[in-house]
């Protein structure tokens, strides 16, 4: 086991553990903060995959923006500070069993895929080429349509959010 | 001779050589040398804050026609040391009902997020923490991590004021991150790389502040807002409000937020100097690397001086004014700037570099002028609207307007 | 690449340890005399009334959402900006188009008053 694997295992364990904490935390705010740790763990996993760009984007967008958005929306609710007691349903054992089974099925199918057992090789230093990424984002042979559609999607999200929020504001005035 | 030209690089090389002479495996040498580098850089940055506090207090004192600290040591230079000794021995008061983990994690995270910025900044030709290929994006992303520490502090304190202060602060920080990120696109466009070292390399002929003054201005204003300095210090507003997110902190935990603020202010100046003022570039800096370090420090202190000048001379914004400045001036300007600069750059690509830079400069100045005109127009229209709807209030405005000869 | 991140990882650990250790040392040096009045929540000398939660306004949420959208947009544009000097003119126009679509959304938000702070 080399150092990279140790780092990967640590990051995976931290993100898995905090993911479990997200769903079982007694306070909503704690769940949101555990989510931040999960996202950081995912960023480290991107690093072990030697994808600096996505690691940094993970921090910038997920930790810096989405986590804050989630914390803000948690603060919009009325029962933030309250202790909600155990967040465990009575039938959790059955649910856990189903989840494990599904995981087993997914792993089973994944083993059929050739890439599953491939050994990761360390990429050369210039393997992550932002230049190529930028080119293919706007080249007609590449991803220009998804690129422009992403913009439309972002605008749709913006308009949707504003419609909801502005309506709420008018309700408050009344 | 090598030592004189590049003492830092020389010491690093000697140290790595000495380590590998000890018979350690190559990986061990790498690990230990990196650990030492990180330790030295982080300790240096933390100790540097002591000097920064003295520098800033002295300057603010002069701006306000005072002496500033002048009792402890020559020119009061040991004043921050004395302050530090005092704050070291102050009691930690943990408020009842505080969320212990988040409460204690917040000051640590605040300092760590700022310190981490130093890991990718090139200090001279030979002394670079690390040349990450997405360095500039890393700087912005890690700078944004500080927001999380404010939320932790506000939440953990179990105090209404702290919570409100933290959320107002975070709303300010995320708003100003929009023009910051957008204006950072311009140097990336000009340099063709995200690596901070690469951006410094690309400024060989012309600094980016010359090619894109508008982007530099937006970046600078957004940076000041990001560190929460005056005139954007609504979160703090020590003279009129309860202190904000850090109200429940005491002793060194409180001090850590201040260390983070001062260090962040300096680091942001250094980032500005690196991205727009050519970093360590200057005559002879490539042959004599230590000169590059001196140049970088001089440029950084000039930028830092300007931020202190802002702090000392400008009145505080109102929160709606601050948000308007961000969303209605800086963001549209930076959006327009990227579009205009990319089209102009595409059209003038065949021209020699000098003319291309001139074209960039002209479009920047045009946009700045247009923004200025639009702001005046909007202001006048607002005044007229106020006059139409509130005649009683308008009298004063009109008379003062005639008085000033407008 | 991994070497760079190794340094950043080490640096992150050091950066976390440094303030933590300083705070610990100061904790050892400093006196510890807690008492209930001193430890009570600071609210201008008045005793805290009611639970400590505050419900924030929807305004914050809207700002966070607009910020998120511009963040994602900038992230998509960074590779484009890196490649910019080698792109043909039509590819540059594509990037501008990408921005223009967002500018329309931005002005919609402006007209709707979502960017006003109350």
């Amino acid at each position: 086991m080399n150092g990279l694997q140790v780092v990967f295992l640590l990051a995976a364990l931290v993100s898995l553990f905090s993911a479990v904490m997200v769903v079982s935390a007694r306070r909503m705010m704690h769940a949101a903060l555990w989510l931040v740790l999960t996202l950081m763990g995912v960023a480290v996993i991107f690093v072990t995959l030697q994808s600096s760009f996505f690691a940094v984007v993970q921090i910038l967008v997920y930790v810096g923006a989405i986590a804050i958005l989630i914390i803000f929306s948690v603060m919009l609710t009325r029962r933030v500070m309250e202790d909600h007691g155990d967040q465990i349903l009575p039938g959790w054992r059955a649910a856990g069993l189903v989840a494990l089974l599904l995981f087993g099925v997914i792993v089973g199918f994944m083993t059929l895929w050739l890439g599953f057992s491939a050994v990761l090789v360390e990429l050369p230093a210039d393997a992550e080429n932002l230049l190529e990424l930028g080119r293919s984002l706007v080249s007609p042979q590449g991803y220009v349509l998804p690129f422009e559609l992403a913009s439309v999607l972002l605008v749709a999200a913006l308009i949707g959010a504003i419609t909801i929020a502005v309506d709420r504001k008018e309700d408050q005035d009344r | 001779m090598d030592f004189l030209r590049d003492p830092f690089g020389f010491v690093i090389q000697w140290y790595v050589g000495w380590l590998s002479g000890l018979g350690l495996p190559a990986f061990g040498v790498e690990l230990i040398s990196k650990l030492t580098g990180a330790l030295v850089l982080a300790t240096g940055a933390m100790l540097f804050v002591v000097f920064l506090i003295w520098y800033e207090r002295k300057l603010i004192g002069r701006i306000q026609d005072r002496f500033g600290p002048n009792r402890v040591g020559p020119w009061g230079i040991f004043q921050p040391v004395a302050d530090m000794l005092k704050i070291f021995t102050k009691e930690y008061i943990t408020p009842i009902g505080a969320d212990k983990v988040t409460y204690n994690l917040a000051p640590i995270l605040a300092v760590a997020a700022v310190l981490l910025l130093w890991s990718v900044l090139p200090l001279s030709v030979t002394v670079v923490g690390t040349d990450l290929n997405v360095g500039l994006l890393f700087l912005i992303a890690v700078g944004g991590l500080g927001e999380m520490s404010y939320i932790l502090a506000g939440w953990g304190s179990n105090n209404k004021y702290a919570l409100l202060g933290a959320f107002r602060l975070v709303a300010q920080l995320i708003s100003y991150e929009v023009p910051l990120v957008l204006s950072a696109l311009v140097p990336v466009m000009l340099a063709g790389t995200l690596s901070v070292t690469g951006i410094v390399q690309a400024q060989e002929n012309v600094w980016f502040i010359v090619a894109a003054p508008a982007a530099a201005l937006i970046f600078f204003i957004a940076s000041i807002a990001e560190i929460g300095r005056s005139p954007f210090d609504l979160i703090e507003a020590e003279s009129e409000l309860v202190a904000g997110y850090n109200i429940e902190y005491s002793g060194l935990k409180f001090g850590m937020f201040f260390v983070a603020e001062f260090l962040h202010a300096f680091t942001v100046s250094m980032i500005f100097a690196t991205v727009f003022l050519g970093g360590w570039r200057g005559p002879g800096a490539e042959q004599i690397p230590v000169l590059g370090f001196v140049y970088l420090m001089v440029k950084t202190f000039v930028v830092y001086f300007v931020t202190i000048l802002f702090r000392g001379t400008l009145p505080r914004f109102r929160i709606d004014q601050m948000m308007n400045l961000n969303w209605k001036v800086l963001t549209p300007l930076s959006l327009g700037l990227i579009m205009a600069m990319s089209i102009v750059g595409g059209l003038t690509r065949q021209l020699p570099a000098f003319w291309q830079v001139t074209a960039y400069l002209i479009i920047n100045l045009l946009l700045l002028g247009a923004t200025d005109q639009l702001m005046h127009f909007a202001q006048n229209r607002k005044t007229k609207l106020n006059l139409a709807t509130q005649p009683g209030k308008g009298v004063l405005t009109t008379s003062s307007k005639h008085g000033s000869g407008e | 690449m991994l070497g760079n991140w190794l340094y950043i990882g080490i640096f992150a650990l050091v950066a976390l340890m440094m303030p933590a250790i300083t705070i610990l040392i100061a904790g050892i040096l400093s006196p510890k005399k807690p008492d209930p009045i001193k430890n009570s929540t600071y609210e201008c000398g008045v005793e805290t009334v009611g639970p400590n939660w505050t419900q924030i306004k929807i305004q914050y949420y809207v700002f966070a959402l607009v910020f998120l959208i511009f963040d994602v947009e900038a992230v998509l544009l960074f590779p484009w900006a890196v490649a910019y000097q080698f792109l043909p003119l039509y590819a540059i126009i594509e990037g501008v188009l990408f921005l223009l679509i967002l500018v329309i959304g931005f002005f919609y938000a402006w007209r709707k008053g979502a960017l006003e702070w109350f």
Side-chain angles (χ1 to χ4, degrees):
Chain A
M1 199 156 78
N2 60 23
L4 195 60
Q5 280 163 325
V6 174
V7 171
F8 169 74
L9 279 178
L10 277 178
L13 277 178
V14 166
S15 27
L16 275 181
F17 173 74
S18 44
V20 170
M21 291 309 288
V22 171
V23 289
S24 61
R26 284 158 167 254
R27 289 176 164 185
M28 254 158 45
M29 191 70 177
H30 284 170
L33 294 176
W34 278 112
L35 183 67
V36 175
L37 198 58
T38 315
L39 296 171
M40 293 292 280
V42 176
V44 176
I45 291 173
F46 271 122
V47 169
T48 59
L49 290 171
Q50 302 182 30
S51 177
S52 306
F53 183 67
F54 287 103
V56 171
V57 165
Q58 176 80 18
I59 296 178
L60 184 68
V61 173
Y62 281 84
V63 181
I66 289 182
I68 288 186
L69 185 71
I70 287 174
I71 288 173
F72 276 8
S73 49
V74 164
M75 289 304 295
L76 280 175
T77 62
R78 280 181 184 280
R79 295 178 177 177
V80 223
M81 299 291 272
E82 272 175 34
D83 194 330
H84 289 271
D86 270 339
Q87 297 291 301
I88 294 171
L89 290 174
W92 72 273
R93 285 188 185 83
L97 202 67
V98 171
L100 262 182
L101 269 177
L102 279 176
F103 182 69
V105 169
I106 291 170
V107 172
F109 272 110
M110 290 265 283
T111 46
L112 301 177
W113 175 50
L114 281 178
F116 185 72
S117 52
V119 182
L120 276 180
V121 280
E122 186 163 343
L123 298 169
D126 58 346
E128 189 191 30
N129 201 333
L130 286 175
L131 197 66
E132 281 308 309
L133 179 62
R135 269 189 189 158
S136 57
L137 270 183
V138 282
S139 89
Q141 288 84 34
Y143 304 97
V144 63
L145 198 61
F147 180 68
E148 300 293 341
L149 278 180
S151 181
V152 177
L153 183 70
L154 289 176
V155 171
L158 186 67
I159 291 174
I162 286 164
T163 312
I164 295 168
V166 170
D167 283 354
R168 284 251 187 99
K169 219 181 287 159
E170 282 160 6
D171 286 348
Q172 280 175 358
D173 288 344
R174 258 177 248 147
Chain B
M1 204 211 71
D2 261 358
F3 179 78
L4 281 182
R5 282 201 297 143
D6 184 15
F8 302 113
F10 185 82
V11 168
I12 291 167
Q13 270 186 359
W14 171 83
Y15 181 68
V16 172
W18 178 75
L19 273 180
S20 45
L22 288 179
L24 289 168
F27 184 70
V29 172
E30 199 190 340
L31 208 64
I32 292 179
S33 61
K34 279 179 175 164
L35 182 63
T36 326
L39 270 175
V40 169
L41 204 55
T43 320
M46 289 275 277
L47 290 180
F48 195 55
V49 173
V50 174
F51 172 68
L52 285 181
I53 293 173
W54 173 79
Y55 176 76
E56 178 148 351
R57 284 183 63 181
K58 203 78 184 161
L59 267 176
I60 287 281
R62 289 293 155 151
I63 288 170
Q64 296 169 349
D65 203 10
R66 296 183 282 117
F67 282 117
N70 66 347
R71 293 286 145 170
V72 193
W75 311 291
I77 199 161
F78 295 124
Q79 183 67 47
V81 180
D83 286 346
M84 228 172 63
L85 284 177
K86 182 186 135 194
I87 210 166
F88 243 91
T89 54
K90 287 289 168 191
E91 182 182 356
Y92 289 148
I93 301 168
T94 312
I96 295 167
D99 199 335
K100 290 269 162 42
V101 180
T102 50
Y103 177 80
N104 289 315
L105 198 61
I108 297 173
L109 198 66
V111 177
V114 181
L115 275 181
L116 197 53
L117 294 175
W118 285 63
S119 61
V120 294
L121 282 173
L123 297 180
S124 76
V125 193
T126 47
V127 184
V128 186
T130 184
D131 178 21
L132 194 64
N133 65 341
V134 287
L136 190 60
L137 215 52
F138 179 85
L139 286 176
I140 295 169
V142 172
L145 275 184
E147 289 155 19
M148 210 40 93
S149 74
Y150 302 134
I151 288 185
L152 288 178
W155 162 262
S157 304
N158 187 31
N159 183 319
K160 284 173 190 161
Y161 294 124
L163 200 62
L164 274 177
F167 279 99
R168 281 173 69 125
L169 169 60
V170 172
Q172 170 188 339
L173 293 188
I174 60 174
S175 299
Y176 274 86
E177 216 171 300
V178 173
L180 186 77
V181 176
L182 288 177
S183 60
L185 273 166
V186 172
V188 173
M189 243 161 60
L190 294 174
T193 174
L194 267 173
S195 135
V196 185
T197 315
I199 287 173
V200 175
Q201 297 285 358
Q203 299 179 64
E204 195 172 352
N205 297 322
V206 57
W207 292 354
F208 287 161
I209 195 172
V210 178
L217 188 68
I218 298 168
F219 193 87
F220 184 66
I221 294 175
S223 297
I224 294 182
E226 283 287 307
I227 53 180
R229 273 292 170 85
S230 184
F232 300 99
D233 63 343
L234 301 112
I235 38 135
E236 174 84 43
E238 58 251 352
S239 46
E240 46 199 74
L241 293 180
V242 124
Y245 66 93
N246 54 16
I247 174 173
E248 287 290 358
Y249 284 85
S250 66
L252 202 62
K253 287 179 195 166
F254 178 76
M256 278 300 155
F257 283 116
F258 266 81
V259 169
E261 190 199 311
F262 275 90
L263 195 58
H264 201 180
F266 186 75
T267 315
V268 151
S269 315
M270 198 182 236
I271 294 171
F272 184 83
T274 307
V275 175
F276 285 102
L277 298 181
W280 44 261
R281 287 214 164 272
E286 286 195 61
Q287 285 74 40
I288 309 171
V290 73
L291 264 184
F293 182 71
V294 174
Y295 290 143
L296 178 65
M297 278 298 146
V298 169
K299 288 170 188 174
T300 309
F301 267 101
V302 168
V303 179
Y304 190 54
F305 179 78
V306 178
T307 64
I308 296 175
L309 211 59
F310 270 39
R311 186 184 160 187
T313 51
L314 292 181
R316 186 175 294 133
F317 278 127
R318 225 165 48 206
I319 189 158
D320 60 324
Q321 292 170 334
M322 183 183 71
M323 286 302 187
N324 280 350
L325 174 68
N326 177 57
W327 289 109
K328 299 183 176 173
V329 181
L330 294 183
T331 306
L333 177 61
S334 51
L335 284 169
L337 185 69
I338 296 165
M339 290 195 274
M341 277 191 79
S342 57
I343 290 175
V344 166
L347 291 177
T348 58
R349 191 164 282 169
Q350 265 71 41
L351 296 176
F354 175 76
W355 292 111
Q356 200 180 6
V357 169
T358 316
Y360 280 140
L361 182 63
I362 288 170
I363 194 79
N364 267 278
L365 295 179
L366 272 179
L367 272 172
L368 277 181
T371 313
D372 188 45
Q373 287 301 315
L374 274 175
M375 277 165 80
H376 273 293
F377 176 70
Q379 189 63 44
N380 287 342
R381 211 176 64 163
K382 213 169 152 193
T383 324
K384 268 180 203 152
L385 275 179
N386 279 347
L387 281 179
T389 49
Q390 304 164 307
K393 263 191 175 178
V395 180
L396 259 177
T397 347
T398 35
S399 61
S400 69
K401 274 215 150 170
H402 286 305
S404 63
E406 255 187 73
Chain C
M1 186 85 64
L2 283 174
N4 292 342
W5 280 102
L6 178 67
Y7 177 76
I8 289 172
I10 293 172
F11 206 113
L13 287 181
V14 169
L16 281 170
M17 291 313 288
M18 198 82 84
I21 289 172
T22 335
I23 285 178
L24 265 182
I25 293 172
I28 295 165
L29 289 177
S30 61
K32 287 161 215 59
K33 285 176 199 142
D35 79 64
I37 304 279
K38 196 198 280 176
N39 288 7
S40 61
T41 306
Y42 171 74
E43 255 172 49
C44 301
V46 185
E47 263 184 58
T48 311
V49 180
N52 256 325
W53 60 261
T54 21
Q55 196 183 1
I56 59 167
K57 283 187 293 187
I58 189 104
Q59 199 65 36
Y60 289 87
Y61 180 77
V62 175
F63 275 97
L65 214 127
V66 179
F67 158 66
L68 169 67
I69 281 158
F70 276 97
D71 226 23
V72 174
E73 175 233 334
V75 159
L76 279 169
L77 275 175
F78 267 107
W80 171 80
V82 168
Y84 167 73
Q85 287 169 346
F86 303 95
L87 291 178
L89 199 57
Y90 71 84
I92 293 173
I93 301 293
E94 278 164 12
V96 172
L97 201 66
F98 179 89
L99 270 168
L100 263 180
I101 297 171
L102 266 161
V103 167
I104 294 168
F106 179 73
F107 279 109
Y108 175 79
W110 193 330
R111 284 303 299 267
K112 272 280 177 180
L115 304 178
E116 308 280 348
W117 186 272
F118 294 98

